[in-house]
């Protein structure tokens, strides 16, 4: 939906006239490599998509944040003085959580009318939630008069809303890339200190095909929290037996192997092995990408997928099927699941002139095995969150 149509829809809901309509957006993401290590002090390598969550917004001189969305009939009015009380909303809890965290952090929050519109497919593992959180944070902070935004703080407060308000114990990656993404770049992010480097995403004759398994994955949040707890257990076992590491990703593989005997077969050892080997793969992947060696980059993606499948056990039949099919298709240099896992999306690096064939074969084989079709998306590396200038959009 274009911006002018969204503004029309906004005025239908909240009334026309009055100055001060503004628009904000924040993107979803894919992660190229570095999975489930953001919360283990590791490096990740995500890029923002050019699919966004957009908010049309206008202050309303009340003490309520009124929210509507284009895809659902739901309407929410959140009292700014009672922001702690919207945790169980079916829709609107992420937004209320962000408002709550911003307020706690000292931001001025003003009453406003908001209309949300999401282009990031929901529940596909492309960080639609992070894009809602970050768009909300940028919107509310800006309406409240914040002159210039500290985007790292916006990311951290958005993550806090998801951890402490929604109850999903996610790491920082998704909110960070949504807030700070750079057009045509991926970010090489050190999650231990939030320092990052922008790496140009130059794939030459290749492109990224995003394959959505379309798997319904209801248990994602609890499985995610379980994996996170397993990593914490692994680190405790290591530190109780002579180690003194702050994060799993601080450990080298030869060091980790010395601790295996203390695990007594506990599966958290495999989780730790994924984290430790993944950290090495991310560093190698960034280096080979910088030197233009896409074959090696693809190989590291494949290895990362195998580690997520066998050691982290966070893929599932649908993602495993996409991976197996992808590796058999002509023109594919690498393939892996992306994001939290247990369903969601795969990314494959495919020669541009083989993309049609990729989609045809993937669709046929996947549908035959799984029983329903996958979906495909294409996206350049997009920019991070910000305000959209409405006048510019109107004159387009
Ligand atoms: C989800 C979380 C991120 C990250 C990924 C896995 O997307 O929100 O913090 O842990 O899973 O890499």
């Amino acid at each position: 939906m274009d911006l002018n149509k969204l503004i029309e829809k906004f005025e239908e809901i909240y009334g026309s006239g009055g100055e001060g309509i503004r628009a904000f957006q924040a993107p979803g993401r894919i992660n190229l490599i570095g999975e489930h290590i953001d919360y283990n002090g590791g490096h990740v390598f995500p890029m923002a998509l050019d699919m966004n969550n957009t908010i049309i917004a206008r202050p309303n001189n009340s003490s309520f944040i009124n929210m509507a969305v284009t895809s659902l009939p739901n309407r929410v009015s959140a009292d700014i003085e009672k922001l702690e009380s919207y945790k169980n909303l079916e829709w609107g809890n992420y937004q209320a959580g962000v408002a709550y965290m911003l307020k706690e952090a000292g931001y001025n929050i003003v009453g406003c009318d908001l209309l949300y519109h999401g282009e990031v497919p929901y529940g596909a593992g492309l960080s639609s939630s992070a894009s809602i959180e970050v768009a909300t944070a940028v919107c509310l902070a800006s309406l409240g008069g914040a002159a210039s935004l500290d985007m790292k703080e916006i990311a951290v407060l958005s993550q806090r809303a998801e951890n402490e308000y929604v109850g999903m114990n996610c790491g920082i990656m998704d909110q960070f890339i949504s807030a700070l993404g750079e057009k045509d770049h991926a970010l090489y992010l050190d999650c231990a200190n939030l320092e990052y480097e922008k790496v140009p995403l130059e794939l030459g004759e290749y492109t990224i095909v995003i394959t959505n398994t379309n798997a319904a994955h209801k248990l994602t949040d609890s499985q995610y929290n379980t994996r996170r707890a397993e990593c914490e257990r692994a680190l405790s076992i290591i530190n109780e037996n002579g180690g003194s590491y702050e994060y799993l990703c601080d450990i080298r593989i030869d060091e980790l192997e010395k601790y295996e005997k203390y695990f007594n077969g506990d599966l958290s050892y495999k989780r730790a092995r994924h984290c430790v080997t993944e950290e090495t793969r991310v560093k190698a992947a960034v280096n080979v990408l910088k030197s233009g060696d896409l074959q090696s980059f693809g190989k590291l993606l494949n290895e990362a997928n195998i580690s997520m499948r066998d050691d982290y056990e966070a893929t599932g039949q649908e993602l495993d099927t996409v991976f197996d099919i992808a590796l058999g298709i002509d023109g594919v240099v690498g393939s892996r699941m992306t994001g939290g896992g247990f369903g969601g999306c795969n990314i494959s690096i495919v020669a541009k002139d083989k993309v049609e064939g990729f989609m045809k074969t993937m669709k046929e084989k996947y549908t035959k095995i799984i029983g329903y079709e996958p979906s495909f998306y294409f996206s350049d590396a997009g920019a991070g969150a910000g305000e959209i200038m409405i006048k510019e959009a109107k004159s387009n």
Side-chain angles (χ1 to χ4, degrees):
M1 206 184 280
D2 78 16
L3 205 53
N4 291 328
K5 290 227 174 68
L6 274 182
I7 293 171
E8 268 170 37
K9 175 100 187 143
F10 176 94
E11 291 184 329
E12 266 168 39
I13 298 170
Y14 295 114
S16 61
E19 289 292 295
I21 291 186
R22 294 168 73 177
F24 303 87
Q25 68 180 15
R29 63 98 189 90
I30 53 173
N31 185 22
L32 299 174
I33 190 165
E35 220 64 84
H36 281 271
I37 58 172
D38 57 348
Y39 53 86
N40 287 303
H43 287 78
V44 295
F45 196 37
M47 66 168 229
L49 298 172
D50 53 20
M51 301 176 211
N52 285 273
N53 250 291
T54 303
I55 309 174
I56 308 298
R58 185 174 60 194
N60 62 13
N61 295 316
S62 80
S63 61
F64 287 89
I65 301 173
N66 299 322
M67 297 185 273
V69 58
T70 54
S71 58
L72 296 168
N74 302 38
R75 298 280 185 268
V76 169
S77 256
D79 185 338
I80 296 173
E81 301 310 320
K82 295 185 190 144
L83 285 172
E84 66 291 346
S85 54
Y86 302 99
K87 292 187 178 160
N88 297 322
L89 292 179
E90 196 190 324
W91 179 83
N93 56 337
Y94 286 83
Q95 293 88 328
V98 168
Y100 175 80
M101 291 305 164
L102 288 179
K103 194 162 176 244
E104 289 283 291
Y107 283 79
N108 179 40
I109 303 293
V110 298
C112 51
D113 298 333
L114 308 178
L115 173 64
Y116 284 79
H117 178 68
E119 287 169 352
V120 187
Y122 178 74
L126 300 176
S127 289
S128 59
S129 339
S131 68
I132 290 174
E133 291 155 4
V134 171
T136 304
V138 169
C139 169
L140 292 180
S142 304
L143 293 186
S148 71
L149 299 183
D150 173 347
M151 294 307 277
K152 277 193 190 177
E153 185 173 66
I154 290 290
V156 168
L157 292 173
S158 299
Q159 179 203 18
R160 194 171 297 158
E162 187 152 345
N163 289 168
E164 294 171 24
Y165 198 93
V166 178
M168 162 75 174
N169 219 358
C170 65
I172 187 65
M173 173 171 72
D174 304 345
Q175 291 78 10
F176 197 95
I177 187 68
S178 183
L180 286 124
E182 277 278 324
K183 192 165 170 30
D184 300 328
H185 291 73
L187 297 193
Y188 179 44
L189 168 65
D190 183 343
C191 299
N193 57 20
L194 299 190
E195 282 175 13
Y196 68 100
E197 181 190 338
K198 302 168 199 169
V199 180
L201 194 65
E202 284 159 4
L203 301 179
E205 293 308 301
Y206 290 84
T207 191
I208 300 172
V209 182
I210 304 171
T211 305
N212 186 352
T213 60
N214 287 327
H217 50 126
K218 292 192 200 99
L219 286 175
T220 314
D221 291 8
S222 66
Q223 282 168 310
Y224 184 95
N225 288 348
T226 305
R227 287 296 176 281
R228 193 161 176 166
E230 287 162 357
C231 289
E232 282 161 18
R233 190 161 82 230
L235 188 61
S236 318
I237 294 175
I238 291 164
N239 284 342
E240 279 158 18
N241 289 286
S244 59
Y245 299 98
E246 190 176 356
Y247 297 114
L248 279 182
C249 288
D250 295 340
I251 308 174
R252 288 196 320 262
I253 187 66
D254 58 317
E255 292 168 338
L256 177 70
E257 282 165 356
K258 292 188 196 132
Y259 292 97
E260 184 172 2
K261 58 178 183 277
Y262 300 114
F263 281 76
N264 295 318
D266 188 289
L267 58 66
S268 66
Y269 181 75
K270 294 207 298 184
R271 310 299 189 240
R273 186 166 59 199
H274 163 74
C275 297
V276 168
T277 57
E278 184 79 347
E279 174 70 358
T280 310
R281 281 187 292 272
V282 180
K283 290 180 179 161
V286 171
N287 284 334
V288 293
L289 186 67
K290 281 182 183 168
S291 68
D293 180 359
L294 276 187
Q295 298 295 328
S296 302
F297 185 70
K299 202 163 158 275
L300 288 159
L301 261 53
N302 296 342
E303 286 167 15
N305 189 84
I306 291 167
S307 182
M308 279 300 291
R309 183 189 69 194
D310 298 346
D311 273 351
Y312 219 71
E313 297 177 280
T315 52
Q317 195 204 353
E318 298 87 355
L319 279 172
D320 292 345
T321 302
V322 172
F323 178 66
D324 291 343
I325 298 170
L327 290 196
I329 299 178
D330 187 28
V332 174
V333 294
S335 184
R336 63 179 289 274
M337 56 72 71
T338 188
F342 306 108
C345 287
N346 162 288
I347 51 170
S348 296
I349 314 283
V350 186
K352 284 180 183 160
D353 59 352
K354 305 281 187 201
V355 166
E356 287 304 317
F358 177 93
M359 291 196 293
K360 188 168 177 287
T361 309
M362 181 61 73
K363 188 170 154 187
E364 272 168 23
K365 293 195 172 172
Y366 182 85
T367 309
K368 201 161 167 215
I369 298 168
I370 300 295
Y372 49 83
E373 291 183 4
S375 315
F376 302 99
Y377 316 112
F378 297 88
S379 172
D380 292 329
E387 180 159 10
I388 318 168
M389 290 304 148
I390 288 181
K391 276 193 186 136
E392 278 174 29
K394 276 194 164 162
S395 61
N396 275 342

